[in-house]
Amino acid sequence: MKILVTGSGGQLGAALCRHFGPRAIGLNHAALDIADRDAVQAAIDKQRPDVVVNTAGYTAVDRAESDRETCQAVNADAVGILAEACGRRDALLVQISTDYVFGGDASRSVPYDETDEPAPQSVYGQSKLAGEQRAAACPRHLIVRTCGLYGRRGPGSTSSNFVDTMLRLGAERDAVRVVDDQRCTPSYVEDVADALQFLIESSAEGIYHVVNHGSTTWYEFATEIFHHRSIGTRLVPITTADYAAAAPRPAYSVLDTSKYHALGHRPMPDWHVALARYLSAR
């Protein structure tokens, strides 16, 4: 089985390349712009992959509110290009999506499963839902929704994640303000990559939710990070309104992983355990 991984410079793309080893062909943005139809077709014709995993994407959630066109081009239109190319080669298209496709139900307190109706509130979330719809047009497709990814970056990548940002701010400031009214499940890319490998090797198709076990707020998550590293910086819980970000975020976007676990692979580790593993390996 040959697996082409787009966005291989990012955290998840790099993790997938490590998990699949020599079977993986990693292409970062410099090697392949997924919004370039001719380049995508040429890459797939050359490599002839059995599976294309699209981990590339526009992830600047707040900037997307004023940069809708670029966000749509990368997160939706480019997925359509990949779907067409994969369809011509009878390759499986694996599209990575997000918990931000939910959020319309302000009173939600039960994890979302794959049958729940999406209702994205941000331009970013809307573009990712559109990407899911483009991916679903490919005869063989697997859509995996996940949340708050953190892990080791790929070579040459300058991207950051919440954990790294908290460690940096904890070293620079006397106090750090963190939102405490958004509940979700930040997930370690090594666990998500392991689950993706299992799904691909099991010939799974359709939509699956894959996140670490349990749920937390960003403030609670930051508290755990500081506890593990014995950082004395004061954490201040704030509301989403206090943070005043450009893009709206779901107040509750915990994902139900029952469908994935029913396939019989190892359970997704609890988020506390996953975080400790990342901090130990970091």
Side-chain angles (χ1 to χ4, degrees), residues 150 185-186 212-216 220-221 224 269-275:
Y150 62 91
T185 311
N212 281 121
H213 177 70
S215 69
T216 185
E220 292 168 355
F221 194 48
E224 190 75 4
D270 184 86
W271 70 263
H272 297 85
V273 175
L275 174 62

Side-chain angles (χ1 to χ4, degrees), residues 191-233:
D191 294 329
V192 175
D194 177 76
L196 279 165
Q197 182 175 0
F198 170 75
L199 287 168
I200 290 167
E201 292 178 345
S202 300
S203 301
E205 297 188 17
I207 301 176
Y208 284 85
H209 291 173
V210 174
V211 290
N212 281 121
H213 177 70
S215 69
T216 185
T217 69
W218 295 109
Y219 170 77
E220 292 168 355
F221 194 48
T223 300
E224 190 75 4
I225 294 166
F226 280 23
H227 171 73
H228 271 279
R229 284 296 176 89
S230 300
I231 296 172
T233 299

